[in-house]
Amino acid sequence: QVQLQESGPGLVKPSQTLSLTCAVSGDSITMNFYYYSWIRQPPGKGLEWLGAIAYSGATYYSPSVKSRTAISRDTSKNQFILQLSSVTPEDTAVYYCAREYLVEGYDYWGQGTQVTVST
């Protein structure tokens, strides 16, 4: 059974960098051909894909956040990390991590973590 678990601060001040970690259990994040994504849902809005890191370590970003986003991984801990810089209140959302096999759709999701950007 694969499980994904997000962790990180629930409150971040404007202009700071948000850092979230997704710990993966039940499978290696280097397993061919899986992609691990960060997705968020602002209050009252739909899901927004932020970016992903592939089994190879390659990264992909949404143009809307590319200039502020970095996704990395720690294979020794089997986890991947989202860093979103220069946050504003518009970055307030529930943040999810999820796994996808090639482009066949997400098969596992984390439970989500609420992040609020506020002074």
Side-chain angles (χ1 to χ4, degrees):
Q1 176 84 15
V2 175
Q3 292 185 321
L4 287 78
Q5 176 72 54
E6 305 93 345
S7 63
L11 180 65
V12 182
K13 288 182 168 52
S15 80
Q16 291 187 339
T17 295
L18 164 66
S19 183
L20 296 175
T21 297
C22 181
V24 180
S25 60
D27 210 353
S28 170
I29 61 173
T30 62
M31 181 73 72
N32 292 350
F33 301 103
Y34 286 97
Y35 294 76
Y36 292 86
S37 287
W38 286 101
I39 298 160
R40 70 182 179 183
Q41 186 168 29
K45 297 184 179 180
L47 294 171
E48 178 186 14
W49 179 80
L50 300 177
I53 187 163
Y55 58 97
S56 62
T59 53
Y60 309 86
Y61 299 105
S62 168
S64 66
V65 295
K66 184 176 182 179
S67 64
R68 304 192 289 130
T69 305
I71 297 175
S72 60
R73 67 182 184 176
D74 184 337
T75 56
S76 68
K77 297 180 179 179
N78 211 45
Q79 60 189 26
F80 60 107
I81 301 103
L82 169 72
Q83 291 186 300
L84 181 66
S85 63
S86 304
V87 297
T88 71
E90 285 66 43
D91 293 308
T92 294
V94 177
Y95 285 74
Y96 299 91
C97 56
R99 189 184 82 161
E100 182 177 27
Y101 180 75
L102 293 175
V103 289
E104 297 185 354
Y106 298 104
D107 56 357
Y108 290 99
W109 292 71
Q111 85 285 358
T113 187
Q114 173 70 47
V115 176
T116 300
V117 179
S118 175
T119 56

